[in-house]
């Protein structure tokens, strides 16, 4: 074999080894530093951790509240190999937006010029409500306006003052089952004001 052929073989071998080294480095946080990716929660620990579907045990950040099995989250790994769970990923269609509440029991949106009854999940572990709901023809206390999605049901009950008719006020309860109720008022309610309601999830 000529010296030229040997040099070409050595060059090809060196190039192949270099490519393998680059690929190995790209796959290792020890080489490239910290990294992040998406993961699915399979187990929620009682020690502030979650375990992902591919076996990663990650410590939750303080802002990551009410973790749920099956949700997609962002996890990161440090160069030393420690995993951190940052929080859930919002669906593209709902990220950072107000979501319309599905009313029940004859309750409907009051209509213009008021906001449609809606909720929004805040980044600090709270939920805000907004809008004005119109009562059915007969709405004596107590009244159930709706049942909120399970993901935003609080772990403890919250109570707020609300106006239910001209000059008549009552209490608006956010229950642990997710139901939103008004009660403790006289006569029949004409509406329920949700603006200003903000409650903790945990």
């Amino acid at each position: 074999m000529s010296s030229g052929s040997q040099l070409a073989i050595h060059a090809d071998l060196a190039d192949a080894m270099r490519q393998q080294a680059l690929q190995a480095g790209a796959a290792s946080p020890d080489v490239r530093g910290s990294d992040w990716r998406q993961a699915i929660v399979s187990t929620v620990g009682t020690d502030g951790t979650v375990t992902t579907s591919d076996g990663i045990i990650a410590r939750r950040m303080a802002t990551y509240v009410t973790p749920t099995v099956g949700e997609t989250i962002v996890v990161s790994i440090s160069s030393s190999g420690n995993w951190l769970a940052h929080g859930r990923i919002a669906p593209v269609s709902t990220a950072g937006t107000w979501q319309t509440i599905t009313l029940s029991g004859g309750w409907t949106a009051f209509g213009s010029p008021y906001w449609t009854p809606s909720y929004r999940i805040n980044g600090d572990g709270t939920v805000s409500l907004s809008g004005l709901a119109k009562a059915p023809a007969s709405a004596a206390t107590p009244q159930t306006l709706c049942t909120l999605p399970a993901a935003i049901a609080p772990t403890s009950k919250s109570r707020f003052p609300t106006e239910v008719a001209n000059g008549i006020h009552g209490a608006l309860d956010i229950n642990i089952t997710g139901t939103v109720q008004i009660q403790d008022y006289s006569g029949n309610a004409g509406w329920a004001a949700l603006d200003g309601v903000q409650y903790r999830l945990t």
Side-chain angles (χ1 to χ4, degrees):
M1 181 180 295
S2 66
S3 60
S5 297
Q6 290 180 334
L7 287 175
I9 292 173
H10 289 314
D12 290 341
L13 180 60
D15 184 63
M17 294 177 66
R18 185 176 67 85
Q19 291 298 325
Q20 288 181 346
L22 289 173
Q23 291 174 1
S28 174
D30 291 335
V31 176
R32 70 174 184 275
S34 60
D35 193 13
W36 71 273
R37 66 179 180 84
Q38 297 181 20
I40 298 175
V41 176
S42 64
T43 305
V44 178
T46 58
D47 58 351
T49 63
V50 293
T51 302
T52 67
S53 58
D54 50 356
I56 293 170
I57 300 175
R59 172 70 58 181
R60 289 191 289 121
M61 293 187 67
T63 53
Y64 180 19
V65 297
T66 62
T68 303
V69 171
E71 67 185 1
T72 302
I73 62 173
V74 171
V75 294
S76 66
I77 185 172
S78 67
S79 58
S80 59
N82 296 315
W83 286 95
L84 189 66
H86 294 262
R88 64 181 57 84
I89 294 176
V92 175
S93 60
T94 62
T97 62
W98 288 95
Q99 301 302 303
T100 300
I101 293 173
T102 301
L103 299 170
S104 60
W107 285 82
T108 58
F110 200 95
S112 181
Y114 301 101
W115 292 110
T116 298
S118 306
Y119 71 88
R120 183 179 66 188
I121 302 174
N122 305 315
D124 60 354
T126 63
V127 174
S128 296
L129 303 184
S130 177
L132 191 68
K134 184 178 180 179
S138 179
T141 186
Q143 287 285 310
T144 299
L145 282 66
C146 65
T147 300
L148 298 170
I152 62 170
T155 55
S156 294
K157 182 176 180 176
S158 295
R159 169 166 280 207
F160 304 88
T162 186
E163 184 183 61
V164 298
N166 287 324
I168 300 176
H169 293 80
L172 185 145
D173 293 336
I174 312 293
N175 299 306
I176 60 175
T177 57
T179 56
V180 178
Q181 294 180 310
I182 57 169
Q183 54 188 323
D184 297 343
Y185 57 88
S186 59
N188 287 315
W191 57 78
L194 304 180
D195 287 304
V197 172
Q198 182 174 331
Y199 63 91
R200 291 171 50 184
L201 287 172
T202 60

